[in-house]
Amino acid sequence: MFTLKNYNALITGGSKGIGKATAELFLELGANVIFTARNKTEIETLESELRLKYRNIQGIVADVTNAEHMEKIKTQIEISWGKLDVLVNNAGTNIRKPTLEFNDNEYQTVLDTNAKAPFSISRLLHPLLLKSSAPSIINVASVAGLLDVKTGSPYGISKAGLLQLTRNLAVEWADDGIRVNSVSPWFTETPLTENLLQNETKKANVISRTPLSRVAKPEEIAGAIAFLAMKASSYITGQNIIVDGGMTVNSL
C-alpha cells in the first residue's frame, strides 16, 4: 500500500522546490514521472541529475497558463503511457505586496497560475485519469487559503479557490473513481520564499508562530503529497492536509 511502483505521475512546476522534492520522492517510490517547468535549463539540469539514478523521468518545457503547452503535455502522456495515475498541481506563483499596490495584470497572473491552471489541467487530463485503476489529483494549496499569513490577498484568494476546487472535484468525480485532495504548506524553504526567509526579522516571526520552531523542508511537503497518491490513502478524498508545524492550531 505504501508504494507508487509503476504509477504514472505528472508534476507541474517540478524543477525546483516542492515540485522537485515530489518528483524525487515519487521516483524513489517507483513511479514514472513527467514534470513541467518554464525554464529549459532548469529542466535539463534536473533531468541530468535524476537520470544518474532513475530512467523513468521526463521534463517538458511548459507554462501551465498556456493552453497549447498543456495540450503538448497531454499528447506526451498519451504517447509515453496512454493513461495518467497521479496529477500533482504544484506550479504556483506569488507577488508579495499590499492589495492597493496591485495592478490588474499582476492580480490576473496570480489567479491564472494558482487557480485557473489546476482547473483547466484537471479537466484536460480527466480522460487519461479515467484509464487508471487508482487515479488521484493532489493540489498544492497553502495555509494562505485558510487565514491571513501576510502573503498578499491575490495569493490567498487563489489558494482558497484551489481548496474549494479540491472539494468540488472530489464530489463530482467520485463516481469516476478519481480521488482529489490537497496539501497546504506553511513557509517552506523554496525559491519562492528564499528572499523573504533571508530577512532574519521576518523569518523569526514565521518561526515564532510555529510550534515546531522551524521552517519546513520541501521533502516534508512531498511526503504528504506521496501519501495522498498511494493506495494507503484510498478512502481519503476531498481533504486538505495542513503541513504547517502546528501553526494553524497555535492560539498565541
Side-chain angles (χ1 to χ4, degrees), residues 1 7 134 177 179 181 227-237:
M1 294 177 71
Y7 279 50
R179 296 187 300 111
N181 293 289
F227 169 69
L228 289 172
M230 295 176 178
K231 288 183 180 179
S233 63
S234 59
Y235 200 57
I236 299 175
T237 195

Side-chain angles (χ1 to χ4, degrees), residues 67-222:
E68 290 183 2
H69 289 187
M70 293 304 100
E71 287 287 350
K72 179 174 69 174
I73 291 168
K74 181 182 180 182
T75 298
Q76 188 58 50
I77 293 172
E78 289 172 331
I79 292 171
S80 298
W81 304 325
K83 66 170 185 173
L84 183 65
D85 299 302
V86 184
L87 167 60
V88 180
N89 285 313
N90 170 71
T93 191
N94 193 18
I95 301 170
R96 290 188 176 86
K97 59 169 70 176
T99 299
L100 293 176
E101 295 181 11
F102 270 85
N103 61 47
D104 288 347
N105 287 337
E106 291 170 332
Y107 173 85
Q108 200 61 52
T109 294
V110 175
L111 268 290
D112 284 350
T113 304
N114 297 352
K116 183 181 177 182
F119 172 83
S120 299
I121 296 167
S122 297
R123 296 203 306 164
L124 178 68
L125 299 180
H126 180 269
L128 293 175
L129 288 163
L130 285 179
K131 295 181 179 181
S132 169
S133 61
S136 66
I137 298 172
I138 300 100
N139 295 318
V140 180
S142 169
V143 294
L146 302 167
L147 67 167
D148 178 30
V149 292
K150 312 302 181 187
T151 55
S153 59
Y155 186 77
I157 291 167
S158 68
K159 293 301 186 178
L162 186 56
L163 290 172
Q164 188 58 36
L165 176 66
T166 299
R167 291 185 281 264
N168 281 121
L169 291 187
V171 175
E172 283 188 36
W173 292 356
D175 285 345
D176 296 329
I178 301 172
R179 296 187 300 111
V180 187
N181 293 289
S182 59
V183 171
S184 285
W186 174 222
F187 275 96
T188 306
E189 294 176 355
T190 70
L192 193 62
T193 62
E194 185 177 8
N195 289 338
L196 186 144
L197 294 175
Q198 285 177 349
N199 184 312
E200 292 301 326
T201 300
K202 290 182 179 179
K203 183 176 181 179
N205 181 55
V206 168
I207 291 174
S208 71
R209 296 180 62 179
T210 309
L212 289 184
S213 299
R214 62 180 178 83
V215 174
K217 296 186 179 300
E219 294 79 10
E220 294 174 304
I221 315 304

